[in-house]
Amino acid sequence: MYLKLAMGNVRRSVRDYSVYFATLALAACLLYSFIASGDYLLALDLTAEQRSVYGRIGSVLEAFSIFVVIVFIFLVAYANRFIVRRRKREFGLYALVGMGRGSIAAVLALEGGLVGAAALVVGIALGVVLSPAFGAVAAFVFDAPWTPHVAFLPGAAAWTTGSFAAIAGLGAV
């Protein structure tokens, strides 16, 4: 019952959730692209000196991706507050018909989960498509030959999914 209600609410509030969706999809795309860029760098024909520079850059990219996660936690928290404020009357109506606070929270969590899951899939797909652009930039920086190739990297997708779950969970709290 809650799932059906949540799906209907997402359809009705598509304008409100579009900002939330775009924020989450961008987060997933950037996270995937940062992590995948390491594998694209490894695929380049780099000299030993360039590989040592890459090793240092890899740790900087990981640290920067953690910074991106923290920024997106705050953006998701803001988006959640925006949605709750915007739909305050609707939640008041739910309370009037007898839904408890826990039930209302469950519906809101399901709505966020539905939008979040769709945003994760779209974000990773965009990341897969855009990651070669990061490889092109890296090839330019290292003055290495580059050929475009699109690849789905399961490790990057798993890291993105875990980070995404942390973003959604901490943002909701």
Side-chain angles (χ1 to χ4, degrees), residues 106-130:
V107 169
L108 191 58
L110 279 171
E111 291 173 15
L114 290 169
V115 173
L120 177 64
V121 169
V122 168
I124 288 177
L126 281 172
V128 167
V129 171
L130 295 177

Side-chain angles (χ1 to χ4, degrees), residues 75-125:
L75 285 173
V76 168
Y78 174 78
N80 283 339
R81 282 193 306 271
F82 171 80
I83 288 170
V84 168
R85 269 189 250 127
R86 194 104 167 148
R87 297 175 56 208
K88 198 175 199 178
R89 289 185 180 136
E90 179 184 341
F91 297 138
L93 181 63
Y94 289 157
L96 280 174
V97 297
M99 280 182 84
R101 292 180 80 127
S103 297
I104 294 171
V107 169
L108 191 58
L110 279 171
E111 291 173 15
L114 290 169
V115 173
L120 177 64
V121 169
V122 168
I124 288 177

